[in-house]
Amino acid sequence: MNKIIFAFVLGLFILTGCDNQTNKENVAQTTGEQSAFSENKIYFFYSNYCPHCHEALKYIHGKHPNLELTMVNVGNPGGYKLLLQAVNEYKIQGNQIGTPLLLIGKNYLMGWAPEYENQFENYAQSFIK
């Protein structure tokens, strides 16, 4: 039953296209467990219809035009599967799942708002050339 509720909530976030919560609880640091995601890449999980995703990309490309992002469209079955894997590996709580999701080394940012810019800069420092 919990898996059905989780899938429903996750599907709802995917269909709405974004996580519009902008409180500090959405910015988190993960534990140091082994991950299937490379710590040498920044993964950007997005939905085509998510305004927060577009805001995040505009900021990132504006500040760091040469920063490489591995883009993952959660609207595609493979992208959705990777999102579920990231949620599991980074231990992201069900009520925090949405887009954009940025995996940056051992850290993640869920959602986007101007107050997340400094946290992004801190996490991405080793990726910025």
Side-chain angles (χ1 to χ4, degrees):
M1 184 66 173
N2 286 340
K3 289 183 180 182
I4 293 171
I5 293 170
F6 175 75
F8 175 76
V9 170
L10 183 59
L12 183 62
F13 279 113
I14 300 302
L15 290 175
T16 60
C18 63
D19 174 13
N20 62 3
Q21 297 177 4
T22 58
N23 59 38
K24 295 285 184 179
E25 294 174 3
N26 289 340
V27 178
Q29 186 170 9
T30 64
T31 62
E33 293 183 13
Q34 184 70 18
S35 175
F37 296 95
S38 172
E39 291 184 17
N40 298 320
K41 293 182 180 181
I42 297 177
Y43 296 87
F44 188 98
F45 291 82
Y46 70 97
S47 169
N48 290 331
Y49 306 105
C50 171
H52 299 289
C53 296
H54 295 286
E55 291 171 14
L57 279 176
K58 182 178 177 180
Y59 172 81
I60 294 167
H61 288 313
K63 286 282 207 173
H64 310 289
N66 297 322
L67 185 63
E68 292 184 33
L69 301 174
T70 301
M71 302 298 291
V72 182
N73 185 344
V74 299
N76 297 329
Y80 180 74
K81 183 178 177 182
L82 280 176
L83 175 67
L84 294 178
Q85 188 174 358
V87 166
N88 183 48
E89 288 187 23
Y90 282 73
K91 298 179 180 20
I92 301 170
Q93 298 300 312
N95 63 349
Q96 296 178 336
I97 299 168
T99 56
L101 168 63
L102 291 101
L103 303 182
I104 310 165
K106 294 180 181 180
N107 303 298
Y108 74 86
L109 288 173
M110 176 64 69
W112 188 263
E115 57 265 20
Y116 293 179
E117 294 171 2
N118 287 336
Q119 195 68 46
F120 173 81
E121 295 295 331
N122 289 336
Y123 288 165
Q125 190 62 39
S126 63
F127 296 91
I128 298 169
K129 298 174 183 171

